[in-house]
PDB file of all heavy atoms in Angstrom:
ATOM      1  N   GLY P 667     138.815  25.702 -21.723  1.00 69.00           N
ATOM      2  CA  GLY P 667     138.571  25.481 -23.141  1.00 69.00           C
ATOM      3  C   GLY P 667     138.124  26.744 -23.845  1.00 69.00           C
ATOM      4  O   GLY P 667     138.604  27.078 -24.934  1.00 69.00           O
ATOM      5  N   LEU P 668     137.206  27.482 -23.219  1.00 71.00           N
ATOM      6  CA  LEU P 668     136.698  28.711 -23.824  1.00 71.00           C
ATOM      7  C   LEU P 668     137.766  29.798 -23.871  1.00 71.00           C
ATOM      8  O   LEU P 668     137.711  30.696 -24.726  1.00 71.00           O
ATOM      9  CB  LEU P 668     135.483  29.209 -23.045  1.00 71.00           C
ATOM     10  CG  LEU P 668     134.223  28.340 -23.154  1.00 71.00           C
ATOM     11  CD1 LEU P 668     133.117  28.876 -22.260  1.00 71.00           C
ATOM     12  CD2 LEU P 668     133.749  28.263 -24.607  1.00 71.00           C
ATOM     13  N   PHE P 669     138.752  29.727 -22.982  1.00 74.00           N
ATOM     14  CA  PHE P 669     139.832  30.717 -23.002  1.00 74.00           C
ATOM     15  C   PHE P 669     140.604  30.656 -24.317  1.00 74.00           C
ATOM     16  O   PHE P 669     141.202  31.646 -24.745  1.00 74.00           O
ATOM     17  CB  PHE P 669     140.800  30.480 -21.832  1.00 74.00           C
ATOM     18  CG  PHE P 669     141.809  31.578 -21.660  1.00 74.00           C
ATOM     19  CD1 PHE P 669     141.505  32.691 -20.912  1.00 74.00           C
ATOM     20  CD2 PHE P 669     143.058  31.490 -22.252  1.00 74.00           C
ATOM     21  CE1 PHE P 669     142.425  33.706 -20.751  1.00 74.00           C
ATOM     22  CE2 PHE P 669     143.990  32.502 -22.102  1.00 74.00           C
ATOM     23  CZ  PHE P 669     143.666  33.614 -21.343  1.00 74.00           C
ATOM     24  N   GLY P 670     140.560  29.496 -24.967  1.00 70.00           N
ATOM     25  CA  GLY P 670     141.232  29.375 -26.257  1.00 70.00           C
ATOM     26  C   GLY P 670     140.713  30.352 -27.289  1.00 70.00           C
ATOM     27  O   GLY P 670     141.405  30.665 -28.271  1.00 70.00           O
ATOM     28  N   LEU P 671     139.477  30.864 -27.091  1.00 74.00           N
ATOM     29  CA  LEU P 671     138.924  31.831 -28.041  1.00 74.00           C
ATOM     30  C   LEU P 671     139.719  33.125 -28.072  1.00 74.00           C
ATOM     31  O   LEU P 671     139.651  33.880 -29.051  1.00 74.00           O
ATOM     32  CB  LEU P 671     137.460  32.125 -27.691  1.00 74.00           C
ATOM     33  CG  LEU P 671     136.485  30.956 -27.837  1.00 74.00           C
ATOM     34  CD1 LEU P 671     135.094  31.367 -27.385  1.00 74.00           C
ATOM     35  CD2 LEU P 671     136.455  30.460 -29.274  1.00 74.00           C
ATOM     36  N   VAL P 672     140.489  33.400 -27.007  1.00 74.00           N
ATOM     37  CA  VAL P 672     141.344  34.587 -27.008  1.00 74.00           C
ATOM     38  C   VAL P 672     142.334  34.521 -28.153  1.00 74.00           C
ATOM     39  O   VAL P 672     142.668  35.529 -28.776  1.00 74.00           O
ATOM     40  CB  VAL P 672     142.082  34.709 -25.654  1.00 74.00           C
ATOM     41  CG1 VAL P 672     143.079  35.864 -25.682  1.00 74.00           C
ATOM     42  CG2 VAL P 672     141.085  34.900 -24.527  1.00 74.00           C
ATOM     43  N   GLY P 673     142.788  33.303 -28.446  1.00 69.00           N
ATOM     44  CA  GLY P 673     143.726  33.147 -29.550  1.00 69.00           C
ATOM     45  C   GLY P 673     143.147  33.538 -30.885  1.00 69.00           C
ATOM     46  O   GLY P 673     143.883  33.907 -31.809  1.00 69.00           O
ATOM     47  N   ALA P 674     141.808  33.477 -31.003  1.00 71.00           N
ATOM     48  CA  ALA P 674     141.168  33.850 -32.264  1.00 71.00           C
ATOM     49  C   ALA P 674     141.370  35.319 -32.588  1.00 71.00           C
ATOM     50  O   ALA P 674     141.372  35.711 -33.756  1.00 71.00           O
ATOM     51  CB  ALA P 674     139.675  33.522 -32.206  1.00 71.00           C
ATOM     52  N   LEU P 675     141.557  36.155 -31.564  1.00 74.00           N
ATOM     53  CA  LEU P 675     141.757  37.580 -31.807  1.00 74.00           C
ATOM     54  C   LEU P 675     143.019  37.820 -32.635  1.00 74.00           C
ATOM     55  O   LEU P 675     143.034  38.662 -33.527  1.00 74.00           O
ATOM     56  CB  LEU P 675     141.837  38.328 -30.476  1.00 74.00           C
ATOM     57  CG  LEU P 675     140.600  38.261 -29.585  1.00 74.00           C
ATOM     58  CD1 LEU P 675     140.858  38.965 -28.254  1.00 74.00           C
ATOM     59  CD2 LEU P 675     139.399  38.879 -30.294  1.00 74.00           C
ATOM     60  N   GLY P 676     144.067  37.053 -32.322  1.00 69.00           N
ATOM     61  CA  GLY P 676     145.301  37.186 -33.103  1.00 69.00           C
ATOM     62  C   GLY P 676     145.145  36.681 -34.518  1.00 69.00           C
ATOM     63  O   GLY P 676     145.705  37.245 -35.462  1.00 69.00           O
ATOM     64  N   VAL P 677     144.338  35.626 -34.690  1.00 70.00           N
ATOM     65  CA  VAL P 677     144.145  35.055 -36.020  1.00 70.00           C
ATOM     66  C   VAL P 677     143.344  36.000 -36.909  1.00 70.00           C
ATOM     67  O   VAL P 677     143.538  36.045 -38.122  1.00 70.00           O
ATOM     68  CB  VAL P 677     143.455  33.681 -35.912  1.00 70.00           C
ATOM     69  CG1 VAL P 677     143.215  33.090 -37.288  1.00 70.00           C
ATOM     70  CG2 VAL P 677     144.301  32.730 -35.082  1.00 70.00           C
ATOM     71  N   PHE P 678     142.437  36.778 -36.317  1.00 75.00           N
ATOM     72  CA  PHE P 678     141.601  37.690 -37.098  1.00 75.00           C
ATOM     73  C   PHE P 678     142.406  38.826 -37.734  1.00 75.00           C
ATOM     74  O   PHE P 678     141.860  39.606 -38.512  1.00 75.00           O
ATOM     75  CB  PHE P 678     140.483  38.268 -36.228  1.00 75.00           C
ATOM     76  CG  PHE P 678     139.363  37.299 -35.986  1.00 75.00           C
ATOM     77  CD1 PHE P 678     138.825  37.140 -34.712  1.00 75.00           C
ATOM     78  CD2 PHE P 678     138.851  36.528 -37.016  1.00 75.00           C
ATOM     79  CE1 PHE P 678     137.800  36.239 -34.471  1.00 75.00           C
ATOM     80  CE2 PHE P 678     137.828  35.620 -36.789  1.00 75.00           C
ATOM     81  CZ  PHE P 678     137.301  35.481 -35.521  1.00 75.00           C
TER      82      PHE P 678
END
Side-chain angles (χ1 to χ4, degrees):
L668 291 176
F669 189 86
L671 295 177
V672 175
L675 298 176
V677 179
F678 283 135

